């Protein structure tokens, strides 16, 4: 009943462009005057105003920035999946295969074009990697990155994906802590 990724090009991309253009002019993007009689812009969760990758829109032309925005998130998803797989002592070939399978899974491919759905997913292998690092060395200072990753995830993605990732991470932490010999 509607074209694929219709929301991306009619809603998400224009919000990112509007927010970036306002920031370039030195205006805090509080209000979107172009939607009906206006609507809050900074409070609009869909454009993920605090996503750290939005900085790309400040330095590049918007169409090119959108392309980099999508590609960087996909690359990081594959890279951190590989890093996590190596942390759990998977072979190099197995880690590469796992990263590729995760990156080209139906869930990721179907949501990649939306931009704001993949960043929270990037946080999953990072959090799992940090949990593994903590389990191996409880005195490691890398554990401080867990709340930072979660904070960026909370301001950058969709609530349901964040909830799934937090639930999986908590169960994984309990599993790893209680299965240590």
């Amino acid at each position: 009943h509607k074209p694929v990724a219709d929301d991306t090009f009619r809603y998400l991309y224009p919000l990112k462009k509007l927010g970036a253009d306002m920031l370039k002019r030195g205006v805090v993007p509080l209000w979107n005057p172009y939607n009906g009689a206006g609507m809050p812009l900074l409070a609009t969760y869909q454009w993920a105003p605090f996503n750290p990758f939005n900085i790309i829109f400040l330095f590049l032309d918007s169409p090119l920035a959108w392309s980099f925005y999508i590609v960087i998130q996909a690359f990081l998803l594959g890279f951190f999946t590989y890093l996590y797989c190596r942390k759990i002592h998977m072979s190099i070939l197995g880690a590469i295969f796992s990263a590729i399978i995760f990156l080209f899974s139906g869930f990721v491919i179907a949501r990649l074009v939306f931009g704001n759905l993949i960043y929270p997913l990037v946080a999953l292998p990072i959090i799992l990697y940090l949990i593994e690092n903590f389990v191996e060395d409880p005195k490691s200072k890398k554990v401080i990155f867990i709340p930072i990753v979660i904070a960026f995830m909370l301001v950058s993605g969709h609530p349901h994906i964040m909830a799934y990732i937090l639930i999986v991470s908590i169960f994984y932490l309990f599993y790893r802590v209680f299965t240590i010999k």
Side-chain angles (χ1 to χ4, degrees):
H1 86 278
K2 72 178 192 176
V4 174
D6 190 43
D7 292 344
T8 300
F9 304 108
R10 290 186 181 193
Y11 187 66
L12 300 173
Y13 174 77
L15 287 179
K16 286 235 186 259
K17 182 171 175 15
L18 176 63
D21 290 346
M22 291 173 88
L23 286 172
K24 286 178 187 177
R25 291 192 316 262
V27 176
V28 178
L30 295 174
W31 192 254
N32 176 359
Y34 303 110
N35 191 356
M39 65 177 259
L41 180 60
L42 191 62
T44 304
Y45 203 69
Q46 292 293 331
W47 77 287
F50 299 110
N51 185 320
F53 297 117
N54 283 347
I55 198 162
I56 297 168
F57 286 85
L58 298 178
F59 298 108
L60 297 175
D61 188 39
S62 292
L64 184 60
W66 182 264
S67 298
F68 274 108
Y69 179 71
I70 299 297
V71 170
I72 286 172
Q73 291 184 73
F75 171 76
L76 289 176
L77 181 62
F79 174 74
F80 285 118
T81 301
Y82 170 82
L83 196 66
Y84 165 68
C85 289
R86 291 296 294 153
K87 188 69 172 173
I88 60 172
H89 310 293
M90 196 177 281
S91 70
I92 292 173
L93 189 59
I96 290 170
F97 184 72
S98 298
I100 290 170
I101 291 299
F102 189 33
L103 187 57
F104 290 105
S105 67
F107 183 85
V108 173
I109 293 298
R111 287 158 182 83
L112 189 60
V113 72
F114 294 104
N116 58 349
L117 294 169
I118 297 303
Y119 180 78
L121 199 57
V122 171
L124 179 63
I126 297 172
I127 292 170
L128 298 181
Y129 172 85
L130 292 170
I131 289 171
E132 282 297 322
N133 194 55
F134 172 73
V135 167
E136 283 182 9
D137 180 17
K139 294 181 181 182
S140 173
K141 301 213 186 282
K142 289 182 183 177
V143 74
I144 190 71
F145 290 111
I146 291 176
I148 294 169
V149 170
I150 290 172
F152 276 125
M153 184 179 63
L154 291 175
V155 298
S156 299
H158 278 254
H160 64 284
I161 296 175
M162 290 181 294
Y164 299 151
I165 290 169
L166 290 174
I167 290 167
V168 166
S169 300
I170 290 168
F171 279 117
Y172 186 78
L173 175 64
F174 285 132
Y175 170 77
R176 290 298 291 137
V177 167
F178 291 120
T179 58
I180 296 174
K181 294 180 180 175

